[in-house]
Amino acid sequence: MNNNSEKVDMLFTYWECQKNTRLAKETYALRYPNRQHPSHTFFYKLEKNLRDTGSFSKRVINQQPRRGNAIGEDIEVQILAYVRANPRTSIRHVSREINISFQQDGAPAHNANIVRNLLNEYFPNRWIGTYGAIQWPPRSPDLTPLDYFLWGHLKTVVYANPPTCLLELKNKIIAACNQITEEQIISAINREFLIRVECCLQHHGAQFEQFVR
């Protein structure tokens, strides 16, 4: 049984070999001699299953989603693998290859027809927003990390010593963004997000900010 890390290596090998299954099998065996070596058809089936289901493993009907991460570890690995193999890709291409959803924020300008039409084209029935296929919870604007973490964090850092001109303001914003750590990002998109979603559900979509601890 191959783990996800090994499957990612198989995909990289398969793509490097221009999707030649027999060459991929030989290359993988030479590159990883101490691993279990699948048949040459496995490489094709692995990629096909990833494209068809968005997962390395076959989906189980009515399977309950795992709690913890905003998206499952399998999907994270697949997205990273795809981006690594296609470094110039865009989010819409990732969406087409891996079945992911897009979370829009609640800014009024983002509700314009041109924006909604674009999202409907690139994320059909798979985007969250005020007029999206998945409705934005009413009166709950702070469910995105940009709203509840990034803007407030940047404001605190940038205005600790208020900038005196526009250029200084821009430079301070860039510097503050560059100083954000991976731990801060993980905390914002995993732990803090789940806390806010649960609080939103507990209050049936009503204003919940005052109850977040």
Side-chain angles (χ1 to χ4, degrees), residues 20 27 37 84 86 113 126 128:
N20 183 320
T27 303
H37 301 143
R84 180 179 173 185
N86 305 275
N113 287 332
R126 289 186 289 108
I128 305 168

Side-chain angles (χ1 to χ4, degrees), residues 87 90 98 125 156 162 183:
S90 66
I98 302 174
N125 298 316
T156 299
E183 289 74 17

Side-chain angles (χ1 to χ4, degrees), residues 66-212:
R66 291 185 299 174
R67 295 174 63 85
N69 292 338
I71 56 177
E73 292 179 2
D74 286 354
I75 300 298
E76 290 178 348
V77 170
Q78 292 155 30
I79 293 173
L80 291 174
Y82 184 81
V83 172
R84 180 179 173 185
N86 305 275
R88 296 183 179 274
T89 192
S90 66
I91 186 63
R92 66 176 181 270
H93 290 144
V94 175
S95 171
R96 289 171 182 170
E97 298 298 331
I98 302 174
N99 192 29
I100 61 174
S101 297
F102 180 85
Q103 182 177 341
Q104 180 67 296
D105 67 22
H110 296 171
N111 295 327
N113 287 332
I114 188 173
V115 176
R116 302 206 306 265
N117 291 339
L118 188 69
L119 291 174
N120 285 330
E121 178 182 354
Y122 291 145
F123 299 91
N125 298 316
R126 289 186 289 108
W127 67 275
I128 305 168
T130 304
Y131 298 103
I134 305 172
Q135 289 293 304
W136 185 273
R139 300 177 301 283
S140 299
D142 290 339
L143 284 176
T144 62
L146 293 180
D147 285 330
Y148 66 73
F149 166 68
L150 184 62
W151 306 139
H153 173 77
L154 292 180
K155 184 176 180 180
T156 299
V157 174
V158 169
Y159 285 94
N161 293 304
T164 57
C165 65
L166 181 59
L167 179 60
E168 185 182 2
L169 174 62
K170 291 180 179 179
N171 290 336
K172 280 179 171 287
I173 292 174
I174 293 172
C177 288
N178 289 334
Q179 291 170 2
I180 295 175
T181 66
E182 182 178 352
E183 289 74 17
Q184 287 176 300
I185 295 173
I186 291 174
S187 176
I189 63 176
N190 287 346
R191 185 184 64 82
E192 184 67 20
F193 177 74
L194 289 177
I195 290 174
R196 288 173 177 269
V197 168
E198 290 176 357
C199 195
C200 178
L201 291 173
Q202 290 171 4
H203 293 85
H204 308 289
Q207 193 69 34
F208 64 87
E209 286 294 301
Q210 66 271 28
F211 301 106
V212 176

Side-chain angles (χ1 to χ4, degrees), residues 41-52:
T41 59
F42 183 82
F43 292 85
Y44 166 77
K45 293 178 180 178
L46 179 64
E47 187 196 43
K48 184 178 186 302
N49 192 64
L50 177 60
R51 292 180 182 277
D52 291 346

